[in-house]
Amino acid sequence: MSRPEIEIRDLHKSFGDNHVLRGIDLEIAQGEVVCVIGPSGSGKSTLLRCVNLLEEPTKGQVVVGGTELTDPDVDIDAVRRRIGMVFQQFNLFPHLTVTENLTLPQRRVLRRDRAQAAKVAAENLERVGLTEKASAYPSSLSGGQQQRVAIARALAMGPEVMLFDEPTSALDPELVGDVLAVMRMLAQDGMTMMVVTHEMTFAREVADRVIFMDGGVIVEDGSPEQVITNPQHERTRHFLSRLLDPAMANVEENNAG
């Protein structure tokens, strides 16, 4: 069996007295799509940010593609080039065109020349269905289009792993589908993906595994069928019932009040 693409061992992260991650152990295979779900404050985004060391773990190991990121001697910039990340906010440069947003990091980080960077940018804009927006500025795009540009920008760097931190949470509901369609395409292409999301339909249809986190630990880890359709833990059942039926959650809160 080939080695995992992502290995996390006894991962802890504290912010002062706040112990956010409490001993996470996780392996993600090459080409696997893992969706991470859970309530706000459960540690999902912190876990994701520890995978490329945007947050430095307090304790534990993170290994990506066979390289330990938590080794003090590692060339972190070199490893990060293999990890694409897409955030809630699009973080596009407003004064640059869509193509320029895609070519700048290629030229600065990968040292590609202008022509090569433009070719890769065009290929990835086509992948996300935005070829016609190559010369547009971000302010003229919808939120969904801006997020697809952000995905194309990450893909233009040639990553082996893609991390998504609630990529649709800042979007109007009618714009979510186009972004999720791009992510589905990446999954079908065999991209290793770790996705923090509240989009249960996406998790159910696209994920190979679903992880439910609460209180800084992994409560459940299994197939979408196991975790979403037939959860074993009360914490998971309670979270999903509130997420899938918000009206019932409001009734519970009003009755409790």
Side-chain angles (χ1 to χ4, degrees):
M1 185 175 175
S2 62
R3 60 165 170 72
E5 190 69 32
I6 300 173
E7 301 173 75
I8 297 169
R9 299 268 177 265
D10 192 29
L11 189 69
H12 292 256
K13 177 62 182 178
S14 296
F15 297 97
D17 294 333
N18 186 12
H19 199 171
V20 178
L21 298 177
R22 300 170 176 268
I24 300 290
D25 290 298
L26 178 63
E27 291 187 354
I28 298 177
Q30 189 172 18
E32 193 172 25
V33 178
V34 175
C35 284
V36 185
I37 65 173
S40 296
S42 60
K44 310 182 300 293
S45 292
T46 301
L47 172 61
L48 203 69
R49 293 170 70 88
C50 282
V51 171
N52 64 358
L53 252 61
L54 285 179
E55 295 289 356
E56 186 133 0
T58 305
K59 177 188 173 190
Q61 286 182 307
V62 177
V63 180
V64 176
T67 301
E68 185 189 339
L69 276 70
T70 39
D71 181 339
D73 297 324
V74 75
D75 182 348
I76 187 63
D77 292 329
V79 180
R80 279 197 186 126
R81 286 172 205 154
R82 292 152 45 190
I83 306 171
M85 183 142 185
V86 177
F87 300 88
Q88 295 179 30
Q89 302 300 328
F90 326 121
N91 301 322
L92 302 176
F93 291 113
H95 62 291
L96 300 181
T97 66
V98 165
T99 293
E100 289 166 344
N101 266 282
L102 267 67
T103 56
L104 181 65
Q106 295 182 64
R107 294 172 62 201
R108 289 263 178 93
V109 178
L110 302 180
R111 303 299 181 195
R112 288 176 180 158
D113 63 37
R114 190 181 296 272
Q116 185 185 13
K119 180 175 181 290
V120 172
E123 289 168 353
N124 283 289
L125 284 176
E126 184 177 2
R127 287 179 83 183
V128 302
L130 288 174
T131 298
E132 77 284 0
K133 299 295 185 182
S135 300
Y137 287 88
S139 60
S140 70
L141 306 180
S142 70
Q145 289 170 331
Q146 289 186 62
Q147 190 62 293
R148 284 150 64 196
V149 171
I151 294 172
R153 178 180 57 188
L155 292 174
M157 304 297 284
E160 297 162 18
V161 171
M162 285 287 284
L163 309 177
F164 293 88
D165 188 7
E166 297 278 13
T168 59
S169 66
L171 302 180
D172 293 332
E174 69 270 20
L175 303 176
V176 168
D178 289 340
V179 173
L180 294 181
V182 170
M183 295 169 66
R184 279 191 177 90
M185 175 268 294
L186 291 179
Q188 290 164 359
D189 289 349
M191 177 66 74
T192 306
M193 295 164 59
M194 191 171 174
V195 185
V196 172
T197 186
H198 281 101
E199 300 289 344
M200 289 303 112
T201 301
F202 176 84
R204 189 182 277 121
E205 293 176 359
V206 179
D208 298 298
R209 281 161 59 208
V210 175
I211 289 167
F212 172 70
M213 287 183 66
D214 194 15
V217 300
I218 293 175
V219 178
E220 292 203 47
D221 178 353
S223 69
E225 176 73 23
Q226 291 170 314
V227 177
I228 298 175
T229 309
N230 188 31
Q232 300 302 301
H233 291 261
E234 178 57 37
R235 278 194 283 179
T236 318
R237 288 195 289 268
H238 183 66
F239 169 76
L240 289 169
S241 69
R242 293 170 67 89
L243 187 65
L244 300 173
D245 190 359
M248 186 57 66
N250 289 335
V251 169
E252 287 177 11
E253 288 173 4
N254 290 336
N255 288 342

